[in-house]
Amino acid sequence: MEKNELEQKLEMGRHSLAHVLAKAVLKLYPSAKLTIGPVVDNGFYYDFDLLDAKIEKEDFARIEKEMKKILNANEPFERLELNKKQALELFSDNTYKVELINDLPEGEIISTYKTGNDFVDLCRGPHMENTSKLQNWGYKIDKVNGAYWRGSEKNKMLSRVYVLAFTNKKDLSNYIANREDALKRDHNKLGRELEIFMTEENIGQGLPLLMPKGATIYKALSRFVEDEGEKRGYLLTKTPFMSKNNLFKISGHWDHYKDGMFILGDEEKDKEIFALRPMTCPFQYMIYKNSLKSYKDLPKRYLENSTLFRNESSGEMHGLIRVRQFTLADAHSICTPDQVEQEFKHALEFIYHTLDVIGLREDVGFRFSKWDPNNKKKYIDNPEAWESTQIILKNILDHLGLNYEEADGEAAFYGPKLDIQIKNVFGKEDTIITIQIDFALAERFDMVYVDEAGERKRPYIIHQSIIGCYERTMALLIEKYAGAFPLWFAPEQVRVLSVTEKAEGAVKEILAELKNLNIRAELDIRNEKISKKIRDASQEKVPYMLIIGEQELENGTLAVRERKGLQTAGVSRQDFYKAMLLEINNKVIKKD
Amino acid sequence: MEKNELEQKLEMGRHSLAHVLAKAVLKLYPSAKLTIGPVVDNGFYYDFDLLDAKIEKEDFARIEKEMKKILNANEPFERLELNKKQALELFSDNTYKVELINDLPEGEIISTYKTGNDFVDLCRGPHMENTSKLQNWGYKIDKVNGAYWRGSEKNKMLSRVYVLAFTNKKDLSNYIANREDALKRDHNKLGRELEIFMTEENIGQGLPLLMPKGATIYKALSRFVEDEGEKRGYLLTKTPFMSKNNLFKISGHWDHYKDGMFILGDEEKDKEIFALRPMTCPFQYMIYKNSLKSYKDLPKRYLENSTLFRNESSGEMHGLIRVRQFTLADAHSICTPDQVEQEFKHALEFIYHTLDVIGLREDVGFRFSKWDPNNKKKYIDNPEAWESTQIILKNILDHLGLNYEEADGEAAFYGPKLDIQIKNVFGKEDTIITIQIDFALAERFDMVYVDEAGERKRPYIIHQSIIGCYERTMALLIEKYAGAFPLWFAPEQVRVLSVTEKAEGAVKEILAELKNLNIRAELDIRNEKISKKIRDASQEKVPYMLIIGEQELENGTLAVRERKGLQTAGVSRQDFYKAMLLEINNKVIKKD
């Protein structure tokens, strides 16, 4: 079935089911007043004024049974068209419907749908022919919430009944299973449970604290980016997190982005105004500018795991995703015009490799983000530069054979970009990594290089966020792996468990050997049953357990238990260590 | 000679020489007016009102010659005591002296010293017997500066003549050589020349940018601290650089340290006030508090390479030493009272090891910094806690057999500390690392652990800055090594040089092999003479050069040139790589 056809079918069926729900509720709660019942992503809801009655979870089955009866009764959906007067008369005992009808323009024909002999509701339609067409659908009352009539706190609180609805029972059960899985994987829940991060009231929203496990994941990822970057010819920098506002005036952030910045000082009172930086670019440009560069020195590639700040309101903050402070793997290639395509490709290869080793390569899509010529406030007003840079970028993307979508009004204020897009576990799409071509800042910062003819020329700048913002990427990784991280960035890689007290010495010896190889290992020599120790390590998603019991003490071998449960006895220590180092160094991603 | 005796001798001789200088200047500039001439660290200075005359560098030799004549003349220093009236009469032609005399209390006996028949100056004395006692001294006019009479801009600008003066000529030449060396090593000069760091006007004072070389040194040092810390049982954290002021109110920083903090927002206008953090402690405490700890969980050791901020005025900023933003290796052990001494020792061992591998162990001294009971503003007002914690710390220091000085009023506001002191290249002493015992913050943050009896108890906290503040430590290392860093943290470890174009392929191959071993290597295949390439690498203090010429191409070997100049031909690649990895991994500090 075509997507569009399926969508139409879902729309019509959910709409029809809303009438069925309303009829069923009226049957069980005869004094209930119907209001509205729109379709949503996963089904529909209906708002009822139940007067003194209440629908509780225990009532769902009864209502569903009533709905089933209506479907089995094969009742037709009959359209009736009325004028306003007739409609007001028909719904005169329902003040909500009267209010809705009164809001309609005079002279408009008002449609209603009748289901069976005893139920009619205002509705634009269309509907299925009859209720039996819904018999094979999968539907389920999801929950009941309070909701104000027309969304206003001044109005009465109604009962909103949510129903999940799909064209068949399998889709429904899949949806429910996926949602349960997503909720379990939600980084904002699982990340706290696994003690990867926390937030604290006195510190504030949007300022997550990476706990030892989170800090260790960050260490593994950020060192990978630095080391891999150095191999690929990037130079590391470490630049300050604040600056006098002079810098941001030159960059244009003071004009285009001031509201999003944390300002230190009062422009009217203080001689020097500082601001926390929202980006790294100009700091690396200043390093570039510290000595005059020749075309022979280009490209210059600078890389920094860079802390940035965004001044957003507390209400918008969420887990590791919406934060006030974050760390971006921020890189800039400064190159001659001839080198733009090669440098763009060079950056994309680094990003591909990064996505490969963290296992997200197959999950991403591409978006070519362009400016909005009508938004003079957001974008530098230089239409020619925009058009020409967008053509350059489009050509590069086409040469690379990327399959991308185009998006207007999504560019940075200083140039167009390639956004690497990803969906989180709830299906919400977001940008994880960008590569941007910048036509404005080299000019603003008066950056030059000396070309072969000895003349000073403007370089191009390619902005790249190699692994994106670590906090966001970590959130995606928590959700993707449900906390069961690939070995190379798992915070605890191996746990050594003693079966009895007798094994303590051996456990400590193995731990020391692992640590000596820079393998992140812990021990569990608590006075607990081995089954409990295994359960705890499994819950904390430790990739490998080494279980040291009688047999292992006798033979000097290891019983190795993988996270997914597979256990192998009689493994030699050296073989295990070798296998670990190989899996870590090759950044293997095992399918659990 | 006892230090005290030498100091007395220097004081008296420099004093006496000041009279000799004054007499010599009067001889050559008869209309000059004498003012004051105090002793300083390296000699003395004398302020002259030269009227229309000027002393230039070219005049120094003439003056020195005149001084020598006076010494050779063996003129006695004769003390003459006058009353105020007599003194005013004697110095009636010198308004400066008259002003000085008028400031003296009535009735005081005023002493003057006469040198030869024709020179007398106001002076408290004592002096040498006669000028010939100074014949073997080493002295040298150093420079002439302008200086306002009595330091006030409202007064006349005088000529201040600085003279270096030591008891013998060798001490003088040593002092001059050392000072020249110090000036060359000055991190604020050399660090910029070597492109380790830079500052930029638009970014602001006290906000140094670590350039690629500086960022690489930081990377080596900071990773060492993290990895070594993990081996020693520390848990890494990564916590936000700002917080709502609520946190700082609990910690006491809002009361005791607010002026030194960068505040975000306006207390009168904004609902939430944030501040950039001046310390890491409470962030790690919040991580500790995230779950209830048992005595079995203690000690908990947290470690973070932590960015901190200090709001100081631009005028006070200096290089990497006085900065607004810095990164501290900040660690906290949270332990039971029984564990305090053991944890203190554990921290000190980590610090010793750190000082060993960076080569500063022999340069440090110890200071036991105590509170000042009279400074209620600076210190938490809990005399009993201060006294008892100071006794605990003193006992620990004495048990450890440390040779320490005691300093009142140098403690942190929340507890006493052991300061590890070091002198920079100019002899200025500063604190590089501290270990502090904290009696206040566990209480303020309501931190607890459950003891063996199941009761909630307050833990002790030991603050430790393992390698200190990276910026300051890097400044000390730049000065100590004059930029010629030990291999393990040298930004560029090996440079591969081609003698002719023919060697390019081999050079690139060797470079790739080095990089593959994570050795930081660069190449020099410029079309330049090999002597120029060697000179450039030497100037940049690269520890090892590999020179690839005809012979090396033929034999597949390396010519290895060490930074100090020693060159060895015919070294096999594998032997060299092995030696490099050994030197790096063992963090060897070679004496160049």
Side-chain angles (χ1 to χ4, degrees):
Chain A
M1 201 184 290
E2 293 261 322
K3 197 183 163 196
N4 220 13
E5 211 179 313
L6 174 63
E7 273 174 9
Q8 275 175 20
K9 190 176 170 187
L10 277 169
E11 172 85 18
M12 195 156 68
R14 285 168 175 170
H15 229 70
S16 304
L17 265 175
H19 287 244
V20 174
L21 170 75
K23 182 169 175 173
V25 167
L26 267 190
K27 179 88 186 281
L28 299 170
Y29 304 81
S31 53
K33 297 292 170 208
L34 307 183
T35 70
I36 54 163
V39 167
V40 295
D41 253 8
N42 57 9
F44 61 90
Y45 65 79
Y46 208 109
D47 287 350
F48 300 98
D49 181 355
L50 296 171
L51 304 179
D52 292 336
K54 222 173 159 184
I55 296 178
E56 308 268 14
K57 217 167 174 178
E58 302 82 73
D59 308 315
F60 291 180
R62 271 197 318 146
I63 300 170
E64 283 165 4
K65 205 172 146 193
E66 207 55 49
M67 288 171 76
K68 193 166 185 191
K69 274 192 211 161
I70 298 165
L71 301 192
N72 290 343
N74 190 14
E75 296 181 350
F77 287 97
E78 286 174 75
R79 185 179 171 94
L80 290 169
E81 295 189 347
L82 308 173
N83 62 29
K84 199 162 179 172
K85 196 174 158 232
Q86 291 169 317
L88 284 171
E89 220 173 272
L90 182 62
F91 292 101
S92 60
D93 65 340
N94 181 324
T95 53
Y96 301 102
K97 299 283 181 187
V98 167
E99 195 178 323
L100 293 174
I101 295 164
N102 277 329
D103 282 355
L104 295 172
E106 287 303 323
E108 183 161 303
I109 286 168
I110 298 168
S111 64
T112 64
Y113 278 82
K114 208 175 142 195
T115 318
N117 292 322
D118 51 353
F119 180 81
V120 67
D121 201 356
L122 269 183
C123 187
R124 204 170 281 131
H127 280 280
M128 319 288 269
E129 273 167 66
N130 59 55
T131 57
S132 69
K133 299 272 184 205
L134 293 161
Q135 275 177 313
N136 293 323
W137 276 52
Y139 62 91
K140 188 181 186 321
I141 300 177
D142 194 25
K143 58 179 176 182
V144 184
N145 270 355
Y148 292 109
W149 167 241
R150 298 196 137 182
S152 162
E153 282 178 45
K154 291 178 194 151
N155 294 335
K156 187 168 184 192
M157 174 84 84
L158 308 174
S159 296
R160 176 168 293 177
V161 180
Y162 286 89
V163 180
L164 306 175
F166 296 86
T167 59
N168 58 69
K169 296 187 167 55
K170 182 134 191 286
D171 280 4
L172 173 69
S173 58
N174 281 344
Y175 174 83
I176 291 171
N178 287 340
R179 192 176 62 173
E180 268 172 25
D181 185 53
L183 284 170
K184 269 188 233 151
R185 285 166 184 263
D186 177 8
H187 88 276
N188 202 17
K189 182 170 172 283
L190 187 59
R192 292 171 196 267
E193 282 168 9
L194 289 175
E195 299 194 324
I196 291 169
F197 78 98
M198 60 176 278
T199 46
E200 210 281 331
E201 207 185 342
N202 292 294
I203 292 171
Q205 292 302 307
L207 295 169
L209 292 80
L210 295 190
M211 301 179 73
K213 282 186 188 167
T216 304
I217 297 172
Y218 172 77
K219 187 184 89 166
L221 298 179
S222 61
R223 287 190 181 189
F224 159 76
V225 169
E226 284 182 355
D227 294 346
E228 187 64 31
E230 285 190 307
K231 278 189 189 146
R232 290 169 187 262
Y234 289 78
L235 301 168
L236 301 184
T237 64
K238 179 167 159 56
T239 55
F241 301 155
M242 62 160 85
S243 166
K244 289 203 296 193
N245 62 356
N246 305 37
L247 191 77
F248 303 119
K249 284 180 181 168
I250 303 175
S251 71
H253 284 78
W254 202 252
D255 289 339
H256 292 277
Y257 198 73
K258 191 176 165 192
D259 290 346
M261 286 163 67
F262 283 105
I263 314 289
L264 294 154
D266 182 328
E267 280 187 88
E268 279 160 34
K269 278 192 280 184
D270 298 317
K271 224 171 98 185
E272 287 185 324
I273 303 296
F274 290 88
L276 299 185
R277 69 181 182 187
M279 73 321 181
T280 326
C281 337
F283 296 85
Q284 294 188 331
Y285 302 164
M286 290 304 183
I287 286 177
Y288 174 87
K289 283 185 62 171
N290 194 47
S291 62
L292 183 62
K293 302 291 187 292
S294 136
Y295 70 97
K296 288 183 201 160
D297 298 318
L298 301 192
K300 274 277 172 208
R301 305 185 187 116
Y302 297 108
L303 170 64
E304 180 166 343
N305 285 320
S306 169
T307 303
L308 306 177
F309 299 86
R310 240 162 243 180
N311 190 358
E312 298 194 71
S313 69
S314 283
E316 288 163 19
M317 298 293 104
H318 179 74
L320 294 173
I321 293 282
R322 294 292 296 272
V323 288
R324 289 190 161 107
Q325 175 193 319
F326 54 96
T327 308
L328 189 73
D330 211 352
H332 295 90
S333 297
I334 302 168
C335 63
T336 68
D338 288 350
Q339 293 168 331
V340 170
E341 182 161 347
Q342 159 212 317
E343 280 303 297
F344 193 95
K345 211 174 141 191
H346 186 271
L348 193 58
E349 274 164 7
F350 188 3
I351 289 168
Y352 277 160
H353 180 61
T354 302
L355 288 170
D356 274 337
V357 299
I358 59 176
L360 296 181
R361 173 86 172 263
E362 281 166 20
D363 302 333
V364 301
F366 298 99
R367 186 176 77 180
F368 171 23
S369 291
K370 302 189 291 186
W371 77 316
D372 173 1
N374 301 316
N375 193 339
K376 303 279 186 207
K377 193 169 179 301
K378 184 170 170 194
Y379 292 110
I380 285 175
D381 189 16
N382 186 348
E384 277 168 42
W386 278 106
E387 290 311 321
S388 70
T389 324
Q390 290 189 175
I391 287 168
I392 292 172
L393 181 51
K394 189 172 165 36
N395 283 338
I396 293 174
L397 300 182
D398 292 339
H399 276 184
L400 290 172
L402 284 189
N403 183 15
Y404 58 87
E405 293 183 358
E406 301 198 16
D408 291 319
E410 293 288 347
F413 76 76
Y414 46 79
K417 57 186 175 135
L418 175 69
D419 288 326
I420 300 185
Q421 301 291 102
I422 196 163
K423 283 184 182 161
N424 80 354
V425 76
F426 298 111
K428 191 179 167 297
E429 188 177 296
D430 222 329
T431 302
I432 171 171
I433 295 164
T434 67
I435 312 182
Q436 313 178 8
I437 298 187
D438 176 352
F439 60 80
L441 295 182
E443 183 80 32
R444 280 167 177 259
F445 281 95
D446 191 22
M447 292 160 74
V448 296
Y449 68 95
V450 179
D451 73 2
E452 287 185 80
E455 278 173 36
R456 296 196 173 201
K457 291 281 169 63
R458 291 263 174 257
Y460 268 72
I461 300 169
I462 300 172
H463 305 240
Q464 311 143 43
S465 63
I466 305 304
I467 199 173
C469 143
Y470 285 93
E471 288 79 0
R472 178 187 302 276
T473 300
M474 279 169 67
L476 288 161
L477 293 172
I478 292 169
E479 293 179 357
K480 166 146 189 132
Y481 295 107
F485 301 109
L487 188 66
W488 78 270
F489 62 86
E492 181 181 344
Q493 296 172 316
V494 179
R495 188 174 297 178
V496 197
L497 319 178
S498 58
V499 176
T500 65
E501 223 173 287
K502 269 168 65 187
E504 260 196 51
V507 161
K508 285 182 179 168
E509 191 183 296
I510 295 165
L511 185 81
E513 287 173 358
L514 288 165
K515 289 207 167 189
N516 209 32
L517 294 165
N518 290 316
I519 294 170
R520 295 185 288 273
E522 301 294 335
L523 48 72
D524 187 350
I525 49 170
R526 288 176 301 167
N527 186 17
E528 299 278 1
K529 283 212 175 119
I530 188 67
S531 58
K532 158 90 172 141
K533 293 183 183 181
I534 291 173
R535 205 162 54 242
D536 286 352
S538 301
Q539 255 169 20
E540 293 179 46
K541 323 250 176 162
V542 181
Y544 291 95
M545 293 170 230
L546 301 179
I547 300 165
I548 312 302
E550 285 290 341
Q551 206 190 322
E552 287 69 33
L553 287 176
E554 214 163 280
N555 306 336
T557 56
L558 305 170
V560 179
R561 189 185 169 96
E562 298 182 41
R563 184 162 47 196
K564 61 185 172 188
L566 189 72
Q567 196 163 322
T568 317
V571 180
S572 91
R573 287 190 193 179
Q574 289 316 314
D575 285 353
F576 177 73
Y577 300 158
K578 243 203 249 164
M580 283 300 94
L581 291 177
L582 210 65
E583 189 177 333
I584 292 168
N585 292 336
N586 292 338
K587 302 190 167 57
V588 175
I589 298 187
K590 279 195 173 176
K591 303 274 177 227
D592 269 3
Chain B
M1 202 184 290
E2 293 262 324
K3 198 183 162 195
N4 218 15
E5 210 179 315
L6 173 63
E7 272 174 11
Q8 276 176 19
K9 191 176 170 187
L10 277 169
E11 171 87 17
M12 193 157 68
R14 285 168 176 170
H15 229 72
S16 303
L17 264 175
H19 287 243
V20 175
L21 171 73
K23 183 168 176 174
V25 167
L26 267 191
K27 178 89 184 283
L28 299 170
Y29 305 84
S31 53
K33 297 291 171 212
L34 306 183
T35 70
I36 54 161
V39 167
V40 295
D41 252 8
N42 57 7
F44 61 90
Y45 66 78
Y46 208 109
D47 288 348
F48 300 99
D49 180 355
L50 296 171
L51 303 178
D52 293 335
K54 220 174 157 181
I55 295 177
E56 307 268 15
K57 215 166 174 176
E58 302 82 75
D59 307 316
F60 290 1
R62 271 196 319 145
I63 300 170
E64 283 165 4
K65 205 172 147 195
E66 206 54 50
M67 288 171 75
K68 193 165 185 189
K69 274 193 210 161
I70 298 165
L71 302 193
N72 290 342
N74 189 13
E75 296 180 352
F77 287 99
E78 287 174 75
R79 184 178 172 97
L80 289 169
E81 296 187 346
L82 309 173
N83 63 27
K84 200 163 179 172
K85 195 172 162 232
Q86 291 169 316
L88 284 170
E89 219 172 273
L90 181 64
F91 292 103
S92 60
D93 66 340
N94 183 324
T95 55
Y96 301 102
K97 298 283 182 189
V98 166
E99 195 179 323
L100 293 173
I101 295 164
N102 277 329
D103 282 355
L104 296 172
E106 286 302 325
E108 182 158 304
I109 286 167
I110 297 169
S111 64
T112 65
Y113 278 84
K114 210 175 142 194
T115 319
N117 292 322
D118 50 355
F119 179 82
V120 67
D121 201 356
L122 269 183
C123 186
R124 203 170 283 131
H127 282 280
M128 318 289 269
E129 272 168 67
N130 58 56
T131 59
S132 69
K133 298 271 183 206
L134 293 162
Q135 275 177 312
N136 292 325
W137 275 53
Y139 62 91
K140 190 180 184 321
I141 300 178
D142 193 25
K143 59 180 176 183
V144 184
N145 272 353
Y148 293 108
W149 167 238
R150 299 198 135 181
S152 164
E153 281 178 45
K154 290 179 195 151
N155 295 336
K156 187 167 182 191
M157 173 83 84
L158 309 174
S159 295
R160 176 168 296 176
V161 180
Y162 286 89
V163 180
L164 306 175
F166 295 88
T167 58
N168 58 69
K169 295 187 169 54
K170 183 132 189 286
D171 281 3
L172 173 68
S173 58
N174 279 346
Y175 174 82
I176 291 171
N178 286 341
R179 191 175 63 171
E180 269 171 24
D181 185 54
L183 284 170
K184 270 189 232 149
R185 287 166 184 261
D186 178 7
H187 87 277
N188 202 17
K189 182 170 172 283
L190 187 59
R192 291 172 198 268
E193 282 168 9
L194 289 175
E195 299 194 324
I196 290 170
F197 78 98
M198 58 176 280
T199 46
E200 210 282 331
E201 207 185 342
N202 292 293
I203 292 170
Q205 293 301 307
L207 294 168
L209 292 80
L210 294 190
M211 300 180 72
K213 282 185 189 167
T216 304
I217 297 172
Y218 172 76
K219 188 184 88 166
L221 299 179
S222 61
R223 287 189 181 189
F224 159 75
V225 169
E226 284 181 355
D227 294 346
E228 187 64 31
E230 285 191 308
K231 279 189 189 146
R232 290 170 186 262
Y234 288 79
L235 300 168
L236 300 184
T237 65
K238 180 169 159 52
T239 54
F241 302 155
M242 60 162 83
S243 166
K244 291 202 294 192
N245 61 356
N246 304 39
L247 190 76
F248 303 118
K249 284 179 182 170
I250 303 175
S251 71
H253 285 78
W254 201 252
D255 288 339
H256 291 278
Y257 198 72
K258 191 177 164 190
D259 290 346
M261 285 164 69
F262 283 105
I263 313 289
L264 293 153
D266 182 328
E267 279 187 271
E268 279 160 32
K269 278 192 281 184
D270 298 317
K271 222 171 98 185
E272 287 184 323
I273 303 295
F274 289 88
L276 299 184
R277 68 181 182 186
M279 74 321 183
T280 326
C281 338
F283 296 85
Q284 294 187 332
Y285 301 165
M286 290 305 183
I287 287 177
Y288 174 86
K289 282 187 62 173
N290 193 47
S291 62
L292 183 62
K293 302 291 187 289
S294 135
Y295 70 98
K296 289 184 202 160
D297 298 317
L298 301 192
K300 274 277 171 205
R301 305 184 187 118
Y302 296 108
L303 170 64
E304 180 166 344
N305 285 319
S306 170
T307 303
L308 306 177
F309 299 86
R310 242 163 240 182
N311 191 1
E312 299 195 69
S313 70
S314 282
E316 287 164 19
M317 298 295 103
H318 179 73
L320 294 172
I321 293 283
R322 293 293 296 269
V323 288
R324 289 189 161 108
Q325 175 193 319
F326 55 95
T327 307
L328 189 73
D330 212 352
H332 296 89
S333 297
I334 302 167
C335 62
T336 67
D338 287 351
Q339 293 168 331
V340 170
E341 181 160 349
Q342 160 211 318
E343 279 304 295
F344 193 95
K345 209 174 146 195
H346 186 270
L348 193 60
E349 274 164 8
F350 187 3
I351 290 167
Y352 276 160
H353 179 61
T354 302
L355 288 170
D356 273 338
V357 299
I358 60 177
L360 295 182
R361 171 87 173 261
E362 282 167 19
D363 302 333
V364 301
F366 298 98
R367 186 176 77 182
F368 171 23
S369 290
K370 303 189 288 187
W371 78 315
D372 172 1
N374 300 317
N375 194 337
K376 302 280 185 207
K377 194 170 179 299
K378 187 172 169 193
Y379 293 109
I380 286 174
D381 188 18
N382 186 347
E384 277 168 42
W386 278 106
E387 290 311 321
S388 71
T389 324
Q390 289 187 175
I391 288 168
I392 292 171
L393 181 51
K394 190 170 164 35
N395 283 339
I396 293 174
L397 300 181
D398 291 340
H399 276 184
L400 290 171
L402 284 189
N403 183 14
Y404 57 86
E405 293 182 358
E406 300 198 17
D408 291 319
E410 294 288 347
F413 75 76
Y414 46 78
K417 56 186 177 140
L418 174 69
D419 288 325
I420 300 184
Q421 301 290 102
I422 196 164
K423 283 184 182 163
N424 80 355
V425 76
F426 297 111
K428 192 180 165 300
E429 188 177 295
D430 222 329
T431 302
I432 173 172
I433 295 164
T434 66
I435 312 182
Q436 312 177 9
I437 297 186
D438 177 353
F439 60 80
L441 294 182
E443 182 81 31
R444 281 169 176 257
F445 281 95
D446 190 23
M447 293 160 73
V448 296
Y449 68 95
V450 179
D451 73 2
E452 286 185 82
E455 277 174 37
R456 297 194 173 204
K457 291 281 169 65
R458 292 264 174 255
Y460 268 72
I461 300 169
I462 300 172
H463 305 241
Q464 313 145 40
S465 62
I466 305 302
I467 199 174
C469 144
Y470 285 93
E471 289 79 1
R472 178 187 302 274
T473 300
M474 281 170 67
L476 289 161
L477 293 172
I478 292 169
E479 293 180 355
K480 166 146 190 134
Y481 295 108
F485 301 109
L487 188 66
W488 77 270
F489 63 86
E492 181 181 344
Q493 295 171 317
V494 179
R495 188 174 296 180
V496 197
L497 318 178
S498 59
V499 177
T500 66
E501 222 173 288
K502 269 169 65 187
E504 260 195 51
V507 162
K508 284 182 180 168
E509 192 182 294
I510 294 164
L511 185 79
E513 287 173 357
L514 287 165
K515 287 206 167 190
N516 210 31
L517 295 166
N518 291 316
I519 295 169
R520 296 185 288 273
E522 301 293 334
L523 48 71
D524 188 349
I525 51 170
R526 289 175 300 167
N527 187 16
E528 299 278 2
K529 284 208 175 124
I530 189 67
S531 58
K532 158 90 172 139
K533 293 183 184 182
I534 291 173
R535 204 162 55 243
D536 286 352
S538 301
Q539 256 168 20
E540 294 179 45
K541 325 250 174 160
V542 181
Y544 291 96
M545 293 170 231
L546 301 178
I547 301 164
I548 312 301
E550 287 290 341
Q551 206 190 321
E552 286 71 31
L553 286 176
E554 215 165 279
N555 306 336
T557 56
L558 306 170
V560 179
R561 189 184 168 97
E562 297 181 43
R563 185 161 47 195
K564 61 185 174 188
L566 188 72
Q567 196 163 321
T568 318
V571 180
S572 91
R573 287 190 194 179
Q574 289 316 315
D575 284 353
F576 177 74
Y577 300 158
K578 240 202 250 165
M580 283 300 93
L581 292 178
L582 210 65
E583 191 176 333
I584 292 168
N585 293 336
N586 291 338
K587 302 191 167 53
V588 174
I589 298 186
K590 279 194 171 179
K591 304 273 177 227
D592 270 4

